[in-house]
Amino acid sequence: MTHPAQPKASHFINGAYVEDTAGTPIPVIYAATGEQIATVYAATPAIVEQALSTAKEAQKAWGKMTGTERGRILRRAADIMRERNHELSVLETYDTGKPLQETLVADATSGADALEYFGGLAGSLTGEHIPMGEDWVYTVREALGLCVGIGAWNYPTQIACWKGAPALACGNSMVFKPSETTPLCALKVAEILHEAGLPAGLYNVIQGMGEVGAALVTDPRVDKVSLTGSVPTGKKVYAAAAAGMKHVTMELGGKSPLIIFDDADVENAVGGAINGNFYSSGQVCSNGTRVFVQKGIKEKFLARLAERTGAAVLGDPQDEATSFGPMVTENQMNIVLGYIEKGKEEGARLICGGKRADMPGFFVEPTVFADVTDDMTIAREEIFGPVMSVLDFDTEEEVIARANDTEFGLSAGVFTNDFSRAHRVIGQLEAGSCFINSYNDAPVEAPFGGVKASGVGRENSKEAIKHFSQVKSVYVRMGDVEAAF
Ligand code: NAD
């Protein structure tokens, strides 16, 4: 019997599901059991061509519609997503293995927020009037044209919407390629957008591995590429986009610092560290995986952290009582287990977890290492799993220097009850998305993105509009034209 997660077809192009079984089969494995639940096929060159040509053509009329008309469609799609939240959350859980307890509140809901927010902004995307004496200049905010979105596997619905909603609001079309690991959810986003009245061809989803992504990025018809992925992939995609002088947004990896001063509220700091390390089983780019704890609070912090981490409920992710799911794939599980072994070998002190959970699926126990030093592999490399490194520190100046000593710069957090210190420290941290007495909040109203190797550009908020549109300026002369000859 066909599993309910099996999509109608692999691709969604020009307003309809499209199949081409000549492409490489991509098995979809449910991470909680290891069972294959669906199959999709990678896009063949014919599918890539169909998606790009349809998106290029459809954009012309969409870009000419009023923003209010475009926004109405996006807001209708947001409503449909909210009505179907349960069904979409179940699918997200099949796609990623993340517990339903999380997906019910973090995925389709976040996607709907993006559609609603950018739908609301669409009607107000205007230029300005710049007086020049009798003459004047006016500016027009125009669409870029055809945008490509390429997704990672940790938030397949959210990423499809975070890229699609601002792109469409600005009058662009999109071809979105989900991660080959989680190909299911973006198809539903496309289906819902079209049900809400999006004209055919404006939001297309095609499947495939890196080479399909590369084919999209290098196509001369593409005006912009927005990637969510790892730093090595980001470097390749950025370079390929640069060769074609295309706009980019790069949402990449991190190894973010979370700094806990000894005057912080311990329960809140532990809560922040749990949210910043174990949500989605640690598969979150902005996670605060280097937890710097001031020496005065260290033992108290570790004791409560171990106690509360022990309350994580590992189990069937479709059961709402489960609060901690598996790694997305067996491969990701093995990568994470490899890092745990490295942590042990390099002399970090294991506080809790530290191994594969004794159950079916790709579960790794939530793991905390203490006495981690800056040079250890687990403190330097992005693990993308439930492995928290706790490092000690003495002074504010010292911790700022150590926190910044990384190629990454996605996020940073500070827990303290001293508000001047909180702002002073955040002001010196090299990171794009920061938190004070909190961690990992990502509302659509706030810009999201990194500095240094963690990325270029911003998603969400009004900032995203700048990255999905361009400004035309028009000088208007009222008098005669003077010329030298
Ligand atoms: P990945 O870099 O392996 O793949 C990301 C996407 O890029 C996939 O869809 C993949 O098929 C595609 N791709 C690979 N090579 C390509 C190429 N040469 N040209 C075009 N596309 C190509 O990343 P992943 O393993 O799917 O996701 C995990 C990574 O994503 C982590 O590093 C994580 O930190 C990062 N991430 C960042 C954010 C953010 O917003 N900053 C959010 C989620 C995940």
Side-chain angles (χ1 to χ4, degrees):
M1 209 185 83
T2 313
H3 191 278
Q6 174 67 46
K8 286 183 201 149
S10 301
H11 319 289
F12 194 99
I13 302 172
N14 206 13
Y17 276 101
V18 177
E19 191 56 278
D20 182 353
T21 53
T24 310
I26 301 174
V28 185
I29 310 289
Y30 183 36
T33 60
E35 288 168 297
Q36 183 169 342
I37 54 171
T39 309
V40 296
Y41 296 88
T44 55
I47 289 286
V48 173
E49 178 53 35
Q50 215 181 319
L52 288 172
S53 53
T54 200
K56 188 76 190 168
E57 187 54 34
Q59 192 273 331
K60 293 176 192 157
W62 180 247
K64 289 192 187 121
M65 273 165 72
T66 69
T68 304
E69 287 168 320
R70 290 196 298 262
R72 191 177 304 136
I73 293 167
L74 299 185
R75 286 184 291 106
R76 211 179 286 140
D79 291 344
I80 301 174
M81 283 197 92
R82 288 212 178 85
E83 281 158 23
R84 304 217 184 124
N85 184 43
H86 196 274
E87 174 199 329
L88 295 169
S89 304
V90 167
L91 186 69
E92 174 96 20
T93 291
Y94 279 129
D95 218 1
T96 60
K98 293 185 294 181
L100 192 60
Q101 194 186 92
E102 279 186 19
T103 55
L104 282 170
V105 297
D107 295 283
T109 52
S110 164
D113 283 355
L115 290 164
E116 184 174 2
Y117 177 84
F118 288 108
L121 279 186
S124 61
L125 305 179
T126 57
E128 56 180 343
H129 172 265
I130 305 163
M132 301 291 300
E134 287 184 352
D135 298 348
W136 75 90
V137 173
Y138 67 92
T139 66
V140 186
R141 189 155 287 281
E142 293 184 335
L144 296 173
L146 167 50
C147 301
V148 160
I150 301 176
W153 42 256
N154 55 347
Y155 284 86
T157 305
Q158 192 186 90
I159 294 171
C161 293
W162 281 18
K163 297 190 189 308
L168 292 170
C170 293
N172 304 286
S173 59
M174 177 160 274
V175 176
F176 185 80
K177 188 199 85 64
S179 162
E180 57 273 34
T181 307
T182 52
L184 307 177
C185 296
L187 291 167
K188 286 285 166 196
V189 173
E191 212 183 291
I192 287 170
L193 278 164
H194 288 83
E195 208 178 312
L198 187 72
L202 288 165
Y203 188 88
N204 309 278
V205 175
I206 64 170
Q207 309 292 349
M209 277 68 91
E211 65 261 24
V212 172
L216 295 174
V217 174
T218 49
D219 192 281
R221 286 166 289 187
V222 171
D223 300 290
K224 185 209 163 108
V225 180
S226 176
L227 168 80
T228 299
S230 60
V231 173
T233 303
K235 285 180 179 165
K236 278 190 238 164
V237 173
Y238 198 178
M245 207 59 86
K246 299 177 201 301
H247 295 253
V248 294
T249 301
M250 295 281 145
E251 291 294 351
L252 310 176
K255 190 75 196 175
S256 301
L258 168 55
I259 302 173
I260 297 166
F261 286 96
D262 56 17
D263 67 343
D265 178 291
V266 176
E267 283 311 310
N268 286 334
V270 168
I274 287 173
N275 289 344
N277 280 271
F278 299 142
Y279 202 73
S280 301
S281 299
Q283 302 166 117
V284 180
C285 51
S286 51
N287 271 355
T289 46
R290 290 183 296 141
V291 181
F292 290 93
V293 182
Q294 206 165 18
K295 283 183 181 153
I297 203 178
K298 176 183 169 186
E299 290 311 324
K300 211 162 145 195
F301 175 84
L302 286 174
R304 277 303 286 150
L305 178 63
E307 231 167 5
R308 286 178 60 178
T309 302
V313 180
L314 283 67
D316 174 5
Q318 296 287 3
D319 178 348
E320 273 188 62
T322 297
S323 60
F324 189 88
M327 297 291 94
V328 71
T329 57
E330 189 168 15
N331 183 44
Q332 187 65 18
M333 175 186 74
N334 289 328
I335 291 171
V336 174
L337 292 173
Y339 276 109
I340 291 176
E341 285 318 303
K342 269 247 153 63
K344 291 176 186 167
E345 275 164 35
E346 292 180 8
R349 173 162 61 107
L350 187 65
I351 300 290
C352 58
K355 56 182 193 314
R356 183 176 182 175
D358 186 16
M359 56 200 291
F362 313 133
F363 288 83
V364 176
E365 293 175 347
T367 297
V368 177
F369 280 110
D371 304 338
V372 176
T373 53
D374 296 350
D375 55 337
M376 288 182 187
T377 311
I378 56 169
R380 301 221 65 81
E381 296 180 13
E382 183 184 47
I383 299 175
F384 226 59
V387 183
M388 185 193 307
S389 294
V390 178
L391 304 95
D392 310 339
F393 76 94
D394 287 302
T395 69
E396 184 179 313
E397 199 184 4
E398 167 209 338
V399 79
I400 291 167
R402 290 170 58 197
N404 286 337
D405 182 20
T406 167
E407 64 166 318
F408 300 110
L410 186 49
S411 292
V414 175
F415 274 82
T416 175
N417 277 327
D418 177 343
F419 261 71
S420 12
R421 172 154 69 189
H423 295 290
R424 189 168 63 232
V425 171
I426 283 289
Q428 293 174 79
L429 293 176
E430 296 162 359
S433 303
C434 297
F435 311 93
I436 292 176
N437 291 334
S438 190
Y439 206 86
N440 262 353
D441 315 75
V444 67
E445 295 85 351
F448 182 81
V451 302
K452 293 156 79 177
S454 291
V456 175
R458 291 292 176 269
E459 294 201 298
N460 287 343
S461 78
K462 291 179 197 151
E463 287 296 314
I465 296 296
K466 295 183 194 155
H467 297 290
F468 278 106
S469 62
Q470 59 198 342
V471 170
K472 173 182 278 173
S473 82
V474 182
Y475 191 103
V476 181
R477 182 174 297 282
M478 298 299 287
D480 295 331
V481 176
E482 281 179 29
F485 52 87

